[in-house]
PDB file of all heavy atoms in Angstrom:
ATOM      1  N   PRO A1761     153.476  55.466 134.204  1.00 85.00           N
ATOM      2  CA  PRO A1761     154.812  56.002 134.588  1.00 85.00           C
ATOM      3  C   PRO A1761     155.108  55.810 136.049  1.00 85.00           C
ATOM      4  O   PRO A1761     154.227  55.922 136.900  1.00 85.00           O
ATOM      5  CB  PRO A1761     154.699  57.488 134.250  1.00 85.00           C
ATOM      6  CG  PRO A1761     153.534  57.592 133.324  1.00 85.00           C
ATOM      7  CD  PRO A1761     152.587  56.486 133.693  1.00 85.00           C
ATOM      8  N   VAL A1762     156.356  55.479 136.385  1.00 77.00           N
ATOM      9  CA  VAL A1762     156.773  55.390 137.773  1.00 77.00           C
ATOM     10  C   VAL A1762     156.901  56.835 138.314  1.00 77.00           C
ATOM     11  O   VAL A1762     157.634  57.620 137.761  1.00 77.00           O
ATOM     12  CB  VAL A1762     158.137  54.685 137.905  1.00 77.00           C
ATOM     13  CG1 VAL A1762     158.608  54.698 139.359  1.00 77.00           C
ATOM     14  CG2 VAL A1762     157.996  53.241 137.409  1.00 77.00           C
ATOM     15  N   GLN A1763     156.126  57.123 139.333  1.00 69.00           N
ATOM     16  CA  GLN A1763     156.086  58.457 139.830  1.00 69.00           C
ATOM     17  C   GLN A1763     157.458  58.875 140.400  1.00 69.00           C
ATOM     18  O   GLN A1763     157.997  58.229 141.255  1.00 69.00           O
ATOM     19  CB  GLN A1763     155.018  58.606 140.919  1.00 69.00           C
ATOM     20  CG  GLN A1763     153.612  58.334 140.352  1.00 69.00           C
ATOM     21  CD  GLN A1763     152.526  58.401 141.387  1.00 69.00           C
ATOM     22  OE1 GLN A1763     152.715  58.916 142.467  1.00 69.00           O
ATOM     23  NE2 GLN A1763     151.358  57.832 141.069  1.00 69.00           N
ATOM     24  N   GLY A1764     158.009  59.975 139.858  1.00 67.00           N
ATOM     25  CA  GLY A1764     159.320  60.441 140.308  1.00 67.00           C
ATOM     26  C   GLY A1764     160.450  59.963 139.469  1.00 67.00           C
ATOM     27  O   GLY A1764     161.597  60.441 139.621  1.00 67.00           O
ATOM     28  N   ASN A1765     160.200  58.957 138.615  1.00 69.00           N
ATOM     29  CA  ASN A1765     161.263  58.420 137.748  1.00 69.00           C
ATOM     30  C   ASN A1765     160.879  58.593 136.296  1.00 69.00           C
ATOM     31  O   ASN A1765     160.187  57.732 135.733  1.00 69.00           O
ATOM     32  CB  ASN A1765     161.467  56.938 138.037  1.00 69.00           C
ATOM     33  CG  ASN A1765     162.047  56.668 139.408  1.00 69.00           C
ATOM     34  OD1 ASN A1765     162.181  57.567 140.228  1.00 69.00           O
ATOM     35  ND2 ASN A1765     162.415  55.421 139.663  1.00 69.00           N
ATOM     36  N   PRO A1766     161.272  59.688 135.673  1.00 69.00           N
ATOM     37  CA  PRO A1766     160.875  59.963 134.279  1.00 69.00           C
ATOM     38  C   PRO A1766     161.260  58.816 133.314  1.00 69.00           C
ATOM     39  O   PRO A1766     162.341  58.244 133.421  1.00 69.00           O
ATOM     40  CB  PRO A1766     161.626  61.279 133.908  1.00 69.00           C
ATOM     41  CG  PRO A1766     161.876  61.906 135.274  1.00 69.00           C
ATOM     42  CD  PRO A1766     162.103  60.787 136.209  1.00 69.00           C
ATOM     43  N   TRP A1767     160.302  58.492 132.401  1.00 70.00           N
ATOM     44  CA  TRP A1767     160.501  57.523 131.353  1.00 70.00           C
ATOM     45  C   TRP A1767     160.641  56.068 131.831  1.00 70.00           C
ATOM     46  O   TRP A1767     161.023  55.213 131.095  1.00 70.00           O
ATOM     47  CB  TRP A1767     161.714  57.868 130.485  1.00 70.00           C
ATOM     48  CG  TRP A1767     161.712  59.334 130.021  1.00 70.00           C
ATOM     49  CD1 TRP A1767     162.569  60.281 130.351  1.00 70.00           C
ATOM     50  CD2 TRP A1767     160.711  59.922 129.196  1.00 70.00           C
ATOM     51  NE1 TRP A1767     162.201  61.458 129.776  1.00 70.00           N
ATOM     52  CE2 TRP A1767     161.044  61.287 129.068  1.00 70.00           C
ATOM     53  CE3 TRP A1767     159.544  59.470 128.584  1.00 70.00           C
ATOM     54  CZ2 TRP A1767     160.313  62.197 128.332  1.00 70.00           C
ATOM     55  CZ3 TRP A1767     158.780  60.387 127.851  1.00 70.00           C
ATOM     56  CH2 TRP A1767     159.185  61.730 127.730  1.00 70.00           C
ATOM     57  N   GLU A1768     160.295  55.857 133.101  1.00 78.00           N
ATOM     58  CA  GLU A1768     160.247  54.469 133.606  1.00 78.00           C
ATOM     59  C   GLU A1768     158.798  54.087 133.808  1.00 78.00           C
ATOM     60  O   GLU A1768     157.958  54.890 134.177  1.00 78.00           O
ATOM     61  CB  GLU A1768     161.013  54.339 134.946  1.00 78.00           C
ATOM     62  CG  GLU A1768     162.507  54.478 134.771  1.00 78.00           C
ATOM     63  CD  GLU A1768     163.267  54.108 136.096  1.00 78.00           C
ATOM     64  OE1 GLU A1768     162.685  53.367 136.882  1.00 78.00           O
ATOM     65  OE2 GLU A1768     164.378  54.581 136.234  1.00 78.00           O
ATOM     66  N   GLU A1769     158.491  52.800 133.551  1.00 85.00           N
ATOM     67  CA  GLU A1769     157.133  52.307 133.561  1.00 85.00           C
ATOM     68  C   GLU A1769     156.921  51.280 134.681  1.00 85.00           C
ATOM     69  O   GLU A1769     157.798  50.454 134.946  1.00 85.00           O
ATOM     70  CB  GLU A1769     156.754  51.647 132.200  1.00 85.00           C
ATOM     71  CG  GLU A1769     156.805  52.609 131.037  1.00 85.00           C
ATOM     72  CD  GLU A1769     155.701  53.642 131.059  1.00 85.00           C
ATOM     73  OE1 GLU A1769     154.574  53.281 131.397  1.00 85.00           O
ATOM     74  OE2 GLU A1769     156.004  54.825 130.750  1.00 85.00           O
ATOM     75  N   MET A1770     155.735  51.374 135.304  1.00 89.00           N
ATOM     76  CA  MET A1770     155.326  50.333 136.237  1.00 89.00           C
ATOM     77  C   MET A1770     154.176  49.535 135.551  1.00 89.00           C
ATOM     78  O   MET A1770     153.277  50.127 134.963  1.00 89.00           O
ATOM     79  CB  MET A1770     154.784  50.945 137.548  1.00 89.00           C
ATOM     80  CG  MET A1770     154.379  49.940 138.599  1.00 89.00           C
ATOM     81  SD  MET A1770     155.807  49.138 139.359  1.00 89.00           S
ATOM     82  CE  MET A1770     156.415  50.453 140.414  1.00 89.00           C
ATOM     83  N   PHE A1771     154.297  48.222 135.564  1.00 93.00           N
ATOM     84  CA  PHE A1771     153.326  47.381 134.865  1.00 93.00           C
ATOM     85  C   PHE A1771     152.363  46.738 135.876  1.00 93.00           C
ATOM     86  O   PHE A1771     152.777  46.154 136.885  1.00 93.00           O
ATOM     87  CB  PHE A1771     154.062  46.295 134.100  1.00 93.00           C
ATOM     88  CG  PHE A1771     154.939  46.801 132.985  1.00 93.00           C
ATOM     89  CD1 PHE A1771     156.303  46.935 133.202  1.00 93.00           C
ATOM     90  CD2 PHE A1771     154.396  47.240 131.776  1.00 93.00           C
ATOM     91  CE1 PHE A1771     157.115  47.458 132.195  1.00 93.00           C
ATOM     92  CE2 PHE A1771     155.190  47.786 130.809  1.00 93.00           C
ATOM     93  CZ  PHE A1771     156.583  47.887 130.987  1.00 93.00           C
ATOM     94  N   TYR A1772     151.095  46.896 135.610  1.00 94.00           N
ATOM     95  CA  TYR A1772     150.033  46.290 136.415  1.00 94.00           C
ATOM     96  C   TYR A1772     149.526  45.036 135.646  1.00 94.00           C
ATOM     97  O   TYR A1772     149.182  45.111 134.458  1.00 94.00           O
ATOM     98  CB  TYR A1772     148.858  47.278 136.583  1.00 94.00           C
ATOM     99  CG  TYR A1772     149.214  48.457 137.449  1.00 94.00           C
ATOM    100  CD1 TYR A1772     149.974  49.522 136.914  1.00 94.00           C
ATOM    101  CD2 TYR A1772     148.797  48.554 138.761  1.00 94.00           C
ATOM    102  CE1 TYR A1772     150.288  50.606 137.671  1.00 94.00           C
ATOM    103  CE2 TYR A1772     149.111  49.682 139.532  1.00 94.00           C
ATOM    104  CZ  TYR A1772     149.879  50.692 138.989  1.00 94.00           C
ATOM    105  OH  TYR A1772     150.183  51.790 139.762  1.00 94.00           O
ATOM    106  N   ILE A1773     149.478  43.938 136.356  1.00 95.00           N
ATOM    107  CA  ILE A1773     149.149  42.646 135.713  1.00 95.00           C
ATOM    108  C   ILE A1773     148.059  41.951 136.506  1.00 95.00           C
ATOM    109  O   ILE A1773     148.169  41.846 137.725  1.00 95.00           O
ATOM    110  CB  ILE A1773     150.375  41.744 135.564  1.00 95.00           C
ATOM    111  CG1 ILE A1773     151.432  42.418 134.726  1.00 95.00           C
ATOM    112  CG2 ILE A1773     149.984  40.396 134.984  1.00 95.00           C
ATOM    113  CD1 ILE A1773     152.759  41.642 134.691  1.00 95.00           C
ATOM    114  N   ASP A1774     146.967  41.528 135.825  1.00 94.00           N
ATOM    115  CA  ASP A1774     145.963  40.653 136.409  1.00 94.00           C
ATOM    116  C   ASP A1774     146.169  39.240 135.845  1.00 94.00           C
ATOM    117  O   ASP A1774     146.288  39.080 134.643  1.00 94.00           O
ATOM    118  CB  ASP A1774     144.559  41.116 136.058  1.00 94.00           C
ATOM    119  CG  ASP A1774     144.160  42.412 136.768  1.00 94.00           C
ATOM    120  OD1 ASP A1774     144.844  42.762 137.791  1.00 94.00           O
ATOM    121  OD2 ASP A1774     143.202  43.059 136.360  1.00 94.00           O
ATOM    122  N   VAL A1775     146.162  38.277 136.750  1.00 95.00           N
ATOM    123  CA  VAL A1775     146.275  36.859 136.326  1.00 95.00           C
ATOM    124  C   VAL A1775     145.180  36.038 137.001  1.00 95.00           C
ATOM    125  O   VAL A1775     144.713  36.371 138.054  1.00 95.00           O
ATOM    126  CB  VAL A1775     147.664  36.265 136.646  1.00 95.00           C
ATOM    127  CG1 VAL A1775     148.782  37.002 135.927  1.00 95.00           C
ATOM    128  CG2 VAL A1775     147.924  36.301 138.174  1.00 95.00           C
TER     129      VAL A1775
END
Side-chain angles (χ1 to χ4, degrees):
V1762 176
Q1763 296 176 18
N1765 293 8
W1767 311 116
E1768 290 189 22
E1769 299 290 319
M1770 184 72 74
F1771 298 100
Y1772 293 76
I1773 299 174
D1774 288 343
V1775 297

